[in-house]
Amino acid sequence: MSAGEGEPFLLLHGIPGSAFAWEEVGQHLAEHYQVIIPDLPGFGQSEKLQDDYYMEGQARALNKFLDTIGIKHLYLGGHDFGGPVAITLMRLFPELQINGLVVAATNMFTDTPVPPRLKVASVPVLGDMTFKVMVGNRLGIRMIYLAATRQKEAVTWDEFKRHLTPSGIALTRHIFQRSLADLKTNYQAIEDVLPQIEVPTLVLWGDSDPFFPTPVAKRTAQAIGGVALKIYPHTGHFVPEEQPEELTRLLLEFLRENWS
């Protein structure tokens, strides 16, 4: 999705997900900004990356895309996996002028607790089998939707399954497994850069997120320092889809106060 005029605002989806995750928020923001919501490589309607599909590969592809369309300064947002991809983009390409940052329901730390059954991520064969069953198919992802979405009237399964393409399902499984197999290696650079972030930042969370509970939200805000934190009641993991109107209202308010 690309719409609107004004300062560019790049919004990145998580997993499982696609550009649809920010669609409604983007429609409202487009009244004030040039909103750009891509399908990350391998998700939605985008093509797969030829090299690495993980954070750095995604960030390099995004930087190439931004360079192609001539964008050097922008506002940046990311939900779930889109959060560390956004931070990686900032880290690898400091020449980009990031005017403001919003992160929602994401992990930025090397020691985030992992449920016991998911600690097999690094075990050959067993880890592959476990994650293929849990997130490597439509049934497994529907179970994630049911467990992680509190506001199901705001985002129905029929709407949510728009995210699901064969490539997107496969990458969701691989990214999920790779992340949990070695948080220390994968997230150290993300955690290290948080205190260095100096742009106005908004952290958004749901109080019923089964993946990253509210202490992770508060820790994220504290790690970056001097940021605004909003925890939405009766909201699960998919904050941009569950609370699009409230999120847009708060975001525009924060933009006026801090990013004008």
Side-chain angles (χ1 to χ4, degrees), residues 136-148:
N137 57 80
R138 290 173 69 90
L139 178 59
I141 290 180
R142 180 162 189 178
M143 294 301 102
I144 289 175
Y145 161 82
L146 291 172

Side-chain angles (χ1 to χ4, degrees), residues 2-10 29-30 32-36 69 71:
S2 179
E5 297 180 355
E7 289 293 312
F9 205 134
L10 179 66
L29 288 180
H32 308 274
Y33 299 89
Q34 178 190 357
V35 178
I36 304 166
I69 61 178
I71 290 179

Side-chain angles (χ1 to χ4, degrees), residues 69-146:
I69 61 178
I71 290 179
K72 299 296 183 184
H73 55 86
L74 64 151
Y75 298 108
L76 182 60
H79 167 250
D80 187 78
F81 182 64
V85 171
I87 301 301
T88 302
L89 181 67
M90 296 172 66
R91 177 176 65 85
L92 293 182
F93 303 101
E95 66 274 15
L96 288 173
Q97 180 183 328
I98 307 299
N99 297 319
L101 177 69
V102 54
V103 294
T106 186
N107 178 51
M108 304 284 190
F109 304 107
T110 60
D111 58 352
T112 298
V114 177
R117 68 181 182 279
L118 298 183
K119 290 182 179 180
V120 301
S122 61
V123 179
V125 182
L126 180 59
D128 292 341
M129 292 174 58
T130 298
F131 280 83
K132 187 173 183 178
V133 170
M134 292 188 63
V135 295
N137 57 80
R138 290 173 69 90
L139 178 59
I141 290 180
R142 180 162 189 178
M143 294 301 102
I144 289 175
Y145 161 82
L146 291 172

Side-chain angles (χ1 to χ4, degrees), residues 227-249:
V227 310
L229 169 64
K230 171 65 177 180
I231 298 176
Y232 290 98
H234 312 297
T235 303
H237 178 69
F238 299 101
V239 181
E241 294 172 89
E242 294 186 56
Q243 294 286 356
E245 294 183 2
E246 284 298 310
L247 190 156
T248 302
R249 182 192 60 77

